[in-house]
């Protein structure tokens, strides 16, 4: 890894650590954190003097001033500096993700990205490294739909996929390919002493071609769908299609009508409701009924 790239990645790591706590990260804690994060990137070992030089570079490049509080023996970022430079932090996070493979150019064999900026997340570079070198990973996973219940998982990571500005890990869990929301991963550990044979025959893009978003449910049939919208909503749906299968069959001053072919999952229904002010479901009838029931239940709750 080049020295300039290492320097920028160290700055990213420092900013991430300091901004996650409003005040005072002890010197030893910051040094250990930066050392571990840079080891994950196979970078040159660092010490506190290197980190302190990075402080000056961070201020010179981004205007973020890192201060030391003698009373609490800790470093911190001024709150106003943090707010002013939020856009720079996001830029650095993107840079770190796209360069996480160091000199490897075949990012697409590990990461299935959309044309969106990724959300801030610490474990993406570590996950990419685990995928790249075929190391199993373990983590605590939060099940949001189970009231935040957490379960420990040990999986074989195969891909990272982005969907609607969120990142998901595609991994084999007990020989079943599953999807994990990266935002729900805690305490990530990489088993560097173990390796597995990565299944290169998986066509990850084909895996989701009949789905809306990330949730592929093979038990739900693929169906032909026809929807009608107002001309105003149609302008939006032309620029941001609901699905790659979207076909326009009417586009005039009174109506915008499309057909789709995909699985009708909960996520797809939620997407329809997000732009439902002019929506008419033409077919299938069971989708029309499903949308109607949602409206009726919402009306009962709000009367």
């Amino acid at each position: 890894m080049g020295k300039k790239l290492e320097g920028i990645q160290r700055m990213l790591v420092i900013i991430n650590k300091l901004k996650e706590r409003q005040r005072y990260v002890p010197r030893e804690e910051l040094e250990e954190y930066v050392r571990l994060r840079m080891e994950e990137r196979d970078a040159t070992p660092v010490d506190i003097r290197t980190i302190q030089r990075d402080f000056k570079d961070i201020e010179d490049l981004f205007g973020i001033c890192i201060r030391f509080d003698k009373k609490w023996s800790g470093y911190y970022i001024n709150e106003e500096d943090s707010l002013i430079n939020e856009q720079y932090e996001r830029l650095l996070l993107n840079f770190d993700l796209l360069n996480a493979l160091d000199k490897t150019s075949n990012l697409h064999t590990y990461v299935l990205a959309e044309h969106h900026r990724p959300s801030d997340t610490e474990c993406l570079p570590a996950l990419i490294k685990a995928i790249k070198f075929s190391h199993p990973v373990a983590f605590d996973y939060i099940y949001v739909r189970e009231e935040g219940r957490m379960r420990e998982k040990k999986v074989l990571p195969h891909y990272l996929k982005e969907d609607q500005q969120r990142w998901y890990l595609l991994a084999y869990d007990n020989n079943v390919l599953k999807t994990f929301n990266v935002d729900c991963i805690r305490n990530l550990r990489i088993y560097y002493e173990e390796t597995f044979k990565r299944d290169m025959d998986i066509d990850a893009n084909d895996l989701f071609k009949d789905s809306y978003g990330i949730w592929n449910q093979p038990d739900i049939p693929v169906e032909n769908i026809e929807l009608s919208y107002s001309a105003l909503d149609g302008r939006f749906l032309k620029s941001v299609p609901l699905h790659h299968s979207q076909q326009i069959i009417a586009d005039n001053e009174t109506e915008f009508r499309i057909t789709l072919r995909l699985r009708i999952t909960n996520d797809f229904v939620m997407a329809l409701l997000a732009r439902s002010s002019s929506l008419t479901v033409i077919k299938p009838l069971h989708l029309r009924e499903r949308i109607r029931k949602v409206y009726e239940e919402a009306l009962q709750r709000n009367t």
Side-chain angles (χ1 to χ4, degrees):
M1 187 190 299
K3 294 296 183 182
K4 289 184 179 180
L5 175 58
E6 281 191 13
I8 291 175
Q9 290 191 336
R10 279 199 313 274
M11 286 187 277
L12 159 71
V13 169
I14 291 167
I15 291 171
N16 278 343
K17 181 61 178 176
L18 293 178
K19 75 183 180 64
E20 74 180 17
R21 286 175 50 180
Q22 292 186 348
R23 291 281 176 177
Y24 318 126
V25 177
R27 189 193 73 178
E28 295 80 7
E29 181 181 338
L30 180 62
E31 185 177 3
E32 178 69 4
Y33 179 83
V34 175
R35 183 185 67 78
L36 290 174
R37 296 292 81 80
M38 295 309 292
E39 280 183 2
E40 291 174 355
R41 295 157 172 80
D42 297 323
T44 306
V46 298
D47 55 23
I48 192 62
R49 291 181 181 177
T50 303
I51 293 171
Q52 288 172 338
R53 287 196 296 270
D54 289 333
F55 292 166
K56 185 178 185 307
D57 291 336
I58 289 170
E59 184 172 4
D60 290 343
L61 288 171
F62 308 116
I64 300 175
C65 185
I66 297 172
R67 298 179 172 87
F68 182 79
D69 188 283
K70 292 182 179 179
K71 179 180 178 180
W72 298 97
S73 298
Y75 294 100
Y76 69 98
I77 294 176
N78 181 274
E79 184 178 355
E80 292 181 0
D81 292 341
S82 178
L83 292 173
I84 292 170
N85 290 280
E86 182 179 352
Q87 58 182 323
Y88 294 109
E89 294 176 27
R90 287 192 170 276
L91 179 62
L92 281 174
L93 285 162
N94 271 322
F95 183 87
D96 186 59
L97 171 64
L98 295 175
N99 288 283
L101 297 178
D102 303 336
K103 297 179 181 179
T104 303
S105 61
N106 56 339
L107 188 68
H108 66 280
T109 63
Y110 308 97
V111 180
L112 309 171
E114 294 182 335
H115 301 292
H116 296 294
R117 294 299 189 186
S119 300
D120 300 359
T121 178
E122 280 291 336
C123 61
L124 284 178
L127 286 171
I128 292 174
K129 183 174 182 179
I131 296 169
K132 176 183 176 182
F133 295 106
S134 299
H135 294 307
V137 298
F139 49 80
D140 298 325
Y141 191 72
I142 300 170
Y143 286 84
V144 177
R145 295 183 180 181
E146 296 181 18
E147 298 181 347
R149 178 178 297 176
M150 190 176 292
R151 295 195 184 101
E152 185 175 357
K153 291 287 182 180
K154 183 178 179 182
V155 301
L156 307 181
H158 276 63
Y159 286 97
L160 283 169
K161 178 172 173 58
E162 187 191 5
D163 180 67
Q164 300 182 49
Q165 301 186 39
R166 293 184 183 275
W167 284 92
Y168 298 86
L169 172 67
L170 277 63
Y172 275 99
D173 179 15
N174 293 322
N175 297 317
V176 178
L177 188 62
K178 296 182 180 180
T179 305
F180 299 92
N181 185 340
V182 172
D183 288 340
C184 295
I185 290 175
R186 300 289 184 273
N187 304 319
L188 176 68
R189 288 94 67 196
I190 302 177
Y191 285 78
Y192 291 107
E193 70 282 3
E194 298 180 27
T195 59
F196 64 92
K197 186 176 180 180
R198 188 162 168 251
D199 185 356
M200 300 302 295
D201 294 329
I202 298 173
D203 188 339
N205 288 309
D206 186 68
L207 197 64
F208 298 98
K209 69 180 179 65
D210 295 323
S211 301
Y212 178 85
I214 195 66
W215 304 113
N216 181 38
Q217 295 175 252
D219 56 317
I220 297 177
V222 178
E223 298 184 69
N224 294 316
I225 301 161
E226 188 172 332
L227 308 172
S228 176
Y229 290 90
S230 68
L232 181 61
D233 279 339
R235 295 194 193 103
F236 176 82
L237 292 168
K238 278 193 288 187
S239 61
V240 186
L242 275 170
H243 188 252
H244 67 82
S245 67
Q246 177 173 305
Q247 298 290 326
I248 300 172
I249 59 174
D251 184 9
N252 53 54
E253 294 181 356
T254 59
E255 182 188 28
F256 180 79
R257 187 177 294 206
I258 58 175
T259 61
L260 307 161
R261 182 168 173 78
L262 71 161
R263 305 182 197 278
I264 300 175
T265 60
N266 285 332
D267 281 1
F268 177 63
V269 172
M270 292 300 103
L272 294 183
L273 292 171
R275 187 164 291 276
S276 61
S277 60
S278 71
L279 168 67
T280 301
V281 177
I282 308 300
K283 64 179 182 182
L285 292 179
H286 71 84
L287 175 59
R288 184 186 182 99
E289 178 66 13
R290 187 167 172 177
I291 295 292
R292 186 184 65 80
K293 286 184 178 179
V294 172
Y295 288 153
E296 287 181 348
E297 291 172 1
L299 185 61
Q300 289 176 4
R301 290 193 302 270
N302 291 279
T303 54

